[in-house]
Amino acid sequence: MPCTIIVGGFFGDEGKGKIVAHIAHQDHPTIISRGGVGPNAGHTVLVGEKEYGIRMIPSGFVYEKADLCIGPGVLVDPRVFLHEVDMLGASGRIFVDGRCGVIEEEHIARDRESEHLSKKIGSTGSGCGPANADRVLRISRQAKDLPELSPYIVDVAEKVNVAIKKGENVILEGTQGFGISLYFGTYPYVTSKDTSASQIAADCGVGPTQIDDVIVVFKAFPTRVGEGPFSTEMSMDKSHEMGIIEYGTVTHRERRIGNWDGQMARYSAMINGCTQIAITGIDRVDPACFGVTEYDQLTETAKVFIRQVEEDVGSPVTIISTGPELSQIIDLRTKR
Ligand code: IMP
Ligand code: MG
């Protein structure tokens, strides 16, 4: 499967980062290229004892043999980017497309000062909305205009397409989630761009005929940060009682927690062109499944849930995450 897209099926924070990292270690991609909006995204990846919260660099960075790319559709905040490159020692294998839009300090100020964005929509305050607005107005700067980014600038679209043509494995990493897509989500409570698989491909400059697989990641108990409708949301008391408590990687706001939403999952899978499902947080469906690495070791409760997911969505569940650690995963891709 030379080119695989990995996207979030609910409202973001489905655990894409871990799924990307796992698939990278299994499939040995030469390139992991991210699409998505920009540094409003936050992925948390846990490797051993160490937790990484990152916003610009693809979460696949934990797989050290791949080049990391940021596609031309993505907004780059040079301060966040350079900080992460430094923190992760990614220099030498991280590349930015020269056409990426740039987030200025002023965009961040506009995002935070806007009552509409910061209060009504509940934006992350990372400047993405105003920066995309300026990009559409065609007044923003591009990554190639910034001398401090010059060591990292390449034509990402070309680099990715050359690798695909050679038959190398490439992962296109989505950010955010389907429910906050500008086109398909709960408008106006959405982010400033589409977040579906087609957009992620376009963000990286990859045409639809080049995509072999679309893995949609769903959380057993979906979450949402910020404002907007969430049909299966449960009360905070209920989620706390269940021991589920999560905070956003970027804003540290407490995430709203909901029950499995089969209807939304099906619709999301349809628009994403889902070929396979990755399900995360199965240890919340049944804590006895924590850390399990073989399908046969899952409890009946978990298996019933997985069958329900497959029935709701109409695609096979091929990856099951059973805990936060990279090794806590069941991979059925070769077995089915
Ligand atoms: P913005 O993208 O910062 O403008 O925020 C718009 C909405 O999308 C807010 O509800 C944010 O909480 C949400 N959002 C943006 N990026 C992410 C993400 O990566 N994960 C989860 N929610 C996000
Ligand atoms: Mg996140």
Side-chain angles (χ1 to χ4, degrees):
M1 51 171 95
C3 190
T4 303
I5 301 181
I6 300 172
V7 284
F10 285 137
F11 296 98
D13 309 306
E14 296 89 355
K16 292 178 291 295
K18 173 181 164 174
I19 301 299
V20 169
H22 166 77
I23 290 178
H25 283 95
Q26 295 301 309
D27 297 3
H28 309 291
T30 55
I31 299 177
I32 300 169
S33 183
R34 76 159 274 192
V37 182
N40 51 350
H43 346 256
T44 310
V45 188
L46 198 69
V47 189
E49 301 279 281
K50 237 175 153 188
E51 197 174 271
Y52 297 90
I54 52 176
R55 296 166 56 194
M56 286 276 19
I57 292 188
S59 49
F61 83 92
V62 295
Y63 175 68
E64 290 177 358
K65 290 184 193 138
D67 280 352
L68 306 169
C69 292
I70 299 180
V74 180
L75 293 166
V76 172
D77 182 326
R79 294 157 292 271
V80 176
F81 172 78
L82 293 169
H83 168 73
E84 289 179 5
V85 169
D86 189 42
M87 179 174 75
L88 302 171
S91 193
R93 67 174 184 119
I94 174 89
F95 304 96
V96 177
D97 194 282
R99 295 160 288 195
C100 289
V102 168
I103 298 182
E104 315 282 352
E105 304 264 19
E106 179 234 338
H107 292 130
I108 298 172
R110 269 160 62 194
D111 198 353
R112 293 182 184 172
E113 282 157 17
S114 157
E115 188 93 358
H116 174 72
L117 291 176
S118 72
K119 296 268 165 22
K120 184 178 176 200
I121 309 298
S123 82
T124 59
S126 52
C128 290
N132 265 338
D134 279 359
R135 197 176 190 188
V136 171
L137 291 172
R138 282 143 289 171
I139 55 176
S140 62
R141 292 196 295 170
Q142 292 179 292
K144 63 173 188 275
D145 302 327
L146 273 53
E148 69 267 37
L149 292 182
S150 64
Y152 308 99
I153 302 295
V154 300
D155 183 332
V156 165
E158 177 162 45
K159 185 174 163 73
V160 169
N161 278 287
V162 165
I164 293 171
K165 276 274 167 332
K166 282 197 218 153
E168 294 173 7
N169 281 345
V170 169
I171 294 177
L172 304 184
E173 180 178 319
T175 63
Q176 284 81 35
F178 181 76
I180 58 169
S181 160
L182 178 63
Y183 298 169
F184 304 107
T186 54
Y187 187 90
Y189 302 99
V190 293
T191 188
S192 52
K193 204 170 69 179
D194 178 28
T195 55
S196 70
S198 305
Q199 178 70 63
I200 302 307
D203 284 345
C204 297
V206 178
T209 52
Q210 306 302 312
I211 308 304
D212 300 282
D213 254 309
V214 177
I215 299 181
V216 182
V217 186
F218 292 108
K219 244 174 164 167
F221 290 93
T223 61
R224 174 161 203 169
V225 277
E227 303 306 313
F230 187 2
S231 59
T232 62
E233 184 170 15
M234 62 175 91
S235 70
M236 281 286 175
D237 284 348
K238 177 82 203 297
S239 53
H240 289 176
E241 209 176 283
M242 292 173 70
I244 307 180
I245 183 155
E246 292 187 25
Y247 296 94
T249 314
V250 178
T251 57
H252 309 292
R253 288 178 290 188
E254 188 169 351
R255 290 181 186 148
R256 301 154 65 191
I257 316 280
N259 286 300
W260 172 255
D261 186 343
Q263 219 181 332
M264 180 177 178
R266 186 176 193 86
Y267 193 80
S268 162
M270 175 175 77
I271 305 292
N272 279 306
C274 175
T275 59
Q276 302 181 42
I277 300 165
I279 189 105
T280 60
I282 208 75
D283 50 308
R284 284 176 173 170
V285 174
D286 187 346
C289 296
F290 183 78
V292 160
T293 54
E294 293 292 334
Y295 184 82
D296 294 341
Q297 290 166 8
L298 288 174
T299 61
E300 197 48 34
T301 309
K303 287 180 185 167
V304 165
F305 178 81
I306 290 162
R307 282 197 288 272
Q308 181 67 47
V309 169
E310 292 186 325
E311 198 176 302
D312 287 344
V313 177
S315 304
V317 170
T318 55
I319 296 179
I320 303 158
S321 174
T322 59
E325 236 298 322
L326 201 50
S327 61
Q328 293 171 323
I329 203 158
I330 301 166
D331 190 340
L332 302 169
R333 290 178 303 155
T334 50
K335 293 176 191 147
R336 289 198 173 189

